[in-house]
Amino acid sequence: MSELKVYNSLTREKEVFTSITPGHAGLYVCGPTVSGESHLGHARPYITFDIVFRWLMHLGYKVRYVRNITDAGHFEEEGRAAEDKISKKAVLEKLEPMELVQKYTNLYHWGMKQLNNLDPTIEPAATGHIIEQIGMIEQIIADGYAYVVNGSVYFDVEKYNTDYSKKGEPYGILSGRVLDEMIATTRELDNQEEKRNTNDFALWKNAPPEHIMRWKSPWGDGFPGWHIECSAMSTKYLGGQFDIHGGGMDLLFPHHECEIAQSNVCNGYIPARYWIHNNMITINGKKMGKSYNNVITLTQLFSGDNPVLQQAYHPMVIRFFILQTHYRSTLDFSNEALQASEKGLKRLWEAYDNLKKLSPSGGNAAANGEIDERCIKLLREMDDFMNDDFGTAKVLANMFELVPVINGLKDKHIAADAISASTIELLKEKMKLYIEDVLGLNVQVGSDNNKLDGLIHVLINMRKDARARKDYATSDRIRNELLTLGIQLKDEKDGNMSYSLS
């Protein structure tokens, strides 16, 4: 098997992955802001890093996967004034702020389960780590890279850039931005006149009287800035330097850039060795987000309850749709694309079901060496594709090249001994590994599929009994009524009967 290579946003090239501690991997991913329901745009990073998590474990790493919950009162929005989203939404919904947080955290967890994402090893919340954030801020002040104004604390970006540029680690090392050329694009807070420079960012904000979520600090009552929580929690659970930091491309600047600066001052290292960023899901070329008023929530996707949607989509269709495109490529939403994914997943899953029922008929030698060798080649390539920056799209492409072979063996269009017994077993082993364990595709998730399968087989047996009695009217009625429900029966050559959902 080839070595795992990942695209590192920090160096802007693919690099061989070497963990700091052999056999162990530390992964930190920026989690959701739980001031509202998760949407399709949120699904992509969490599916992407679920794949990273699964693949690292498959390679034998003991992975500590940390994914935070942002539940602190202050959140910043790109290009807009800062606002206390939790408190604002709590007033609208007539809930206590932490009641609102719990509501949307529960919904987020439900959505992740529907998408069949594995739970992270640790899921820390920002409000549970105020002490750690205050401690880190105190250290940054003591080292001379932050200043206090009217009970607020700001990070001195210009001083950091001057000093750390000498070490080859300027502010902008991740994003490629040059401080002297920057327009004030940092997500800004109120009271701009307090800051020495427009690019300085808040580590702690003084809380006005109306601010509900507030904590005591050496600088007075207030609340943490956005960036400091991830530095504090990643340091606590993964150490001063860890292996992988992940998140959406929209977090690369300023959030991850600011994390690097904070953590570098406190710990003496750029916090992660590898920085992985997934690209966006767009609608008509525009990023999906609440500020763009084009959000489709996960519950709407699964129920079809959104005017943009032509139908409801199974969670596994959403997962499959996302995995068909490489995580660093833009993925544009459309009903047509999701419907194509629905058909593709159905075709793949039916072939996988057929494969599980196949019994090797040949011996160790294959009657058709060309088909046998091609199957082996396609299966072996999957490992290389995953080791090449988690290439799920290429893995799926190879699976679809194997589908006609599997169906051909099942329908006897391909001789049973065309493929050796060892290749059939390898095919079963690899397809299970990739479909279920690595890609996390599970048609049972979020559905009553077992019950449906059982009910259809009851009707199939009733139809068989009717035909045995030469009651063809009942037999045809069962077939035709199932067909009107989108369930197509097929008489097999061996006398058995199968079905497919259309």
Side-chain angles (χ1 to χ4, degrees):
M1 187 187 292
S2 57
E3 294 179 299
L4 172 61
K5 291 183 178 180
V6 301
Y7 182 84
N8 189 349
S9 300
L10 185 64
T11 60
R12 298 167 188 81
E13 60 184 26
K14 283 183 189 177
E15 299 176 351
V16 173
F17 176 75
T18 305
S19 63
I20 295 169
T21 303
H24 294 256
L27 169 64
Y28 186 92
V29 174
C30 292
T33 298
V34 286
S35 60
E37 189 178 342
S38 296
H39 56 71
L40 176 59
H42 294 142
R44 191 174 197 189
Y46 304 126
I47 289 173
T48 295
F49 292 103
D50 183 61
I51 295 295
V52 173
F53 184 30
R54 287 169 181 267
W55 187 245
L56 288 173
M57 288 193 295
H58 170 70
L59 294 178
Y61 288 97
K62 181 176 174 57
V63 185
R64 178 174 288 181
Y65 175 17
V66 182
R67 186 184 67 205
N68 72 298
I69 295 287
T70 296
D71 63 344
H74 176 77
F75 306 99
E76 303 159 78
E77 280 292 335
E78 188 172 357
R80 296 192 299 173
E83 64 178 354
D84 184 344
K85 285 187 176 181
I86 293 290
S87 297
K88 184 177 179 180
K89 196 74 177 290
V91 169
L92 288 174
E93 297 198 22
K94 294 182 172 58
L95 298 171
E96 285 294 323
M98 293 311 291
E99 191 177 3
L100 182 102
V101 162
Q102 191 64 54
K103 171 185 174 181
Y104 287 117
T105 300
N106 290 345
L107 259 177
Y108 167 72
H109 287 152
W110 172 83
M112 295 304 99
K113 289 292 184 189
Q114 296 302 301
L115 293 167
N116 203 27
N117 286 336
L118 300 175
D119 292 333
T121 317
I122 302 172
E123 191 175 54
T127 55
H129 295 78
I130 299 298
I131 292 172
E132 289 84 356
Q133 294 176 69
I134 289 173
M136 197 168 236
I137 295 167
E138 287 179 314
Q139 184 178 342
I140 296 171
I141 293 172
D143 288 346
Y145 292 99
Y147 54 92
V148 182
V149 182
N150 299 326
S152 294
V153 184
Y154 296 99
F155 189 93
D156 192 334
V157 171
E158 189 168 316
K159 177 173 171 50
Y160 173 86
N161 185 64
T162 299
D163 292 350
Y164 279 78
S165 289
K166 297 170 186 174
K167 304 177 183 181
E169 299 171 354
Y171 184 79
I173 190 172
L174 180 66
S175 62
R177 302 190 185 204
V178 178
L179 185 61
D180 290 343
E181 298 173 358
M182 280 186 195
I183 303 170
T185 53
T186 303
R187 298 181 183 184
E188 299 290 2
L189 303 174
D190 298 330
N191 304 317
Q192 296 301 305
E193 66 279 1
E194 290 185 346
K195 301 201 293 189
R196 292 176 184 172
N197 299 288
T198 55
N199 287 303
D200 293 350
F201 57 89
L203 298 171
W204 187 266
K205 279 295 290 179
N206 179 39
E210 68 276 10
H211 201 100
I212 299 173
M213 299 181 79
R214 57 206 296 137
W215 292 266
K216 292 188 181 301
S217 80
W219 318 287
D221 284 6
F223 49 89
W226 174 33
H227 313 302
I228 194 69
E229 67 176 84
C230 288
S231 288
M233 290 187 283
S234 64
T235 299
K236 179 169 183 176
Y237 296 110
L238 296 172
Q241 190 176 50
F242 51 93
D243 296 303
I244 298 172
H245 195 314
M249 197 171 286
D250 57 330
L251 297 179
L252 192 147
F253 186 87
H255 184 49
H256 290 165
E257 198 76 73
C258 295
E259 274 190 66
I260 287 175
Q262 296 163 159
S263 297
N264 212 352
V265 169
C266 290
N267 302 321
Y269 302 100
I270 291 176
R273 294 174 67 179
Y274 304 90
W275 293 76
I276 300 177
H277 293 92
N278 65 276
N279 215 320
M280 300 295 101
I281 291 182
T282 57
I283 297 183
N284 298 321
K286 186 177 283 189
K287 174 191 166 186
M288 181 178 290
K290 294 169 188 172
S291 56
Y292 297 109
N293 198 31
N294 63 356
V295 164
I296 303 172
T297 68
L298 295 182
T299 53
Q300 289 171 338
L301 275 167
F302 304 156
S303 68
D305 186 20
N306 185 296
V308 173
L309 299 173
Q310 294 177 0
Q311 64 177 75
Y313 296 100
H314 191 284
M316 286 302 97
V317 171
I318 305 302
R319 189 177 180 95
F320 184 75
F321 167 67
I322 287 170
L323 296 179
Q324 280 183 298
T325 301
H326 190 271
Y327 76 89
R328 285 191 290 114
S329 299
T330 303
L331 180 58
D332 199 55
F333 163 86
S334 70
N335 280 283
E336 292 75 18
L338 282 174
Q339 287 161 9
S341 293
E342 187 175 53
K343 291 177 183 176
L345 178 59
K346 175 175 173 287
R347 183 167 171 249
L348 178 63
W349 201 268
E350 286 176 353
Y352 181 45
D353 276 342
N354 290 336
L355 175 63
K356 287 186 280 189
K357 296 169 188 173
L358 286 179
S359 298
S361 298
N364 290 329
N368 190 323
E370 183 179 347
I371 294 178
D372 193 82
E373 287 173 16
R374 177 152 182 77
C375 287
I376 293 170
K377 177 178 180 291
L378 289 167
L379 292 168
R380 286 179 176 166
E381 282 178 342
M382 292 180 187
D383 293 341
D384 293 330
F385 292 152
M386 283 302 295
N387 275 334
D388 185 14
D389 200 28
F390 312 104
T392 58
K394 289 183 177 180
V395 169
L396 285 169
N398 272 27
M399 284 185 184
F400 279 107
E401 287 198 50
L402 290 164
V403 164
V405 177
I406 294 167
N407 291 340
L409 289 167
K410 181 248 179 186
D411 293 335
K412 298 184 170 48
H413 297 143
I414 296 175
D417 62 351
I419 297 174
S420 70
S422 60
T423 300
I424 289 288
E425 290 307 315
L426 180 65
L427 191 56
K428 288 184 175 184
E429 175 192 325
K430 285 285 191 179
M431 290 292 275
K432 179 185 186 306
L433 168 68
Y434 276 95
I435 290 176
E436 296 187 38
D437 301 336
V438 175
L439 300 184
L441 294 169
N442 182 356
V443 82
Q444 312 298 337
V445 172
S447 73
D448 291 324
N449 195 68
N450 280 332
K451 294 177 182 176
L452 175 63
D453 183 71
L455 178 60
I456 293 172
H457 276 97
V458 167
L459 291 169
I460 285 174
N461 289 331
M462 288 174 65
R463 183 170 182 266
K464 283 182 180 178
D465 290 343
R467 293 180 72 181
R469 298 192 308 271
K470 296 186 179 182
D471 183 359
Y472 298 115
T474 299
S475 170
D476 290 345
R477 182 182 173 189
I478 291 171
R479 174 194 283 273
N480 294 337
E481 292 197 9
L482 284 173
L483 189 60
T484 62
L485 296 172
I487 301 167
Q488 185 170 7
L489 300 183
K490 182 180 179 182
D491 295 312
E492 303 293 350
K493 292 178 180 178
D494 60 5
N496 289 318
M497 189 174 295
S498 63
Y499 73 89
S500 60
L501 304 177
S502 57

